[in-house]
Amino acid sequence: RITLHVLYIVRLILYQRIGSMTLYNFNKYNARRTKLDGHIFDSQMEANRYSELKLMQKCGDISGLILQPMFVLLCGFTRGGKKIRPIQHYADFQYLDKRTGRTVVEDVKGVETPVWKIKCKLLLYQFSQSKQFKNFDYHVVRMDGVDIL
């Protein structure tokens, strides 16, 4: 039984010898970076969702499509003279849903990593506690559909 870690190392060695793929392009979840309309997406699934959102914007269902909006989950601070960096989350998309009048923040996920699960909880907390985000919804787009959190 081969673990993902062993498979990852074997692929790295092969790609180094063959030289057909740089280490930067390799993704341990087998997602392939995709270029569309001058934007580089982390996966084909994310690029497909971008195409859907562009079409929805053209039809007038949504407006103000933003790629990679950044949210500060925990502000940076200083402790004992040492600077602690803020925790940030870059979502995949943000747009205004004209049917509901609410701002939607979307993440496209093929694999839910432990880090993403923590950031998701922090983001939901920010949305529930801050007046700035009272009109925001958070959607997670998966292969099998959309979850509204």
Side-chain angles (χ1 to χ4, degrees), residues 49-64:
R49 182 60 181 164
Y50 172 70
S51 296
E52 292 171 4
L53 292 172
K54 270 186 27 182
L55 187 60
M56 290 169 67
Q57 185 167 264
K58 211 174 223 181
C59 293
D61 295 338
I62 66 170
S63 65

Side-chain angles (χ1 to χ4, degrees), residues 73-136:
L73 304 176
L74 182 66
C75 294
F77 58 95
T78 305
R79 179 180 164 103
K82 183 178 177 185
K83 281 182 109 175
I84 309 296
R85 295 186 322 179
I87 298 173
Q88 301 169 333
H89 175 65
Y90 290 88
D92 293 324
F93 307 105
Q94 178 181 324
Y95 56 87
L96 177 67
D97 186 340
K98 289 188 174 179
R99 291 175 292 131
T100 63
R102 297 180 63 82
T103 300
V104 176
V105 176
E106 275 191 7
D107 271 319
V108 177
K109 286 290 160 206
V111 176
E112 294 179 4
T113 63
V115 171
W116 177 82
K117 288 178 182 180
I118 292 169
K119 286 186 173 187
C120 176
K121 290 176 186 177
L122 288 170
L123 187 65
L124 289 172
Y125 177 78
Q126 289 287 354
F127 284 1
S128 67
Q129 298 298 312
S130 174
K131 291 179 183 175
Q132 175 187 356
F133 298 117
K134 69 180 173 96
N135 201 31
F136 277 57

Side-chain angles (χ1 to χ4, degrees), residues 8 11 21 23-32 42:
Y8 175 74
R11 284 187 177 175
M21 179 183 252
L23 295 178
Y24 176 76
N25 290 329
F26 181 74
N27 184 302
K28 66 181 176 182
Y29 300 110
N30 292 324
R32 291 198 175 101
D42 289 335

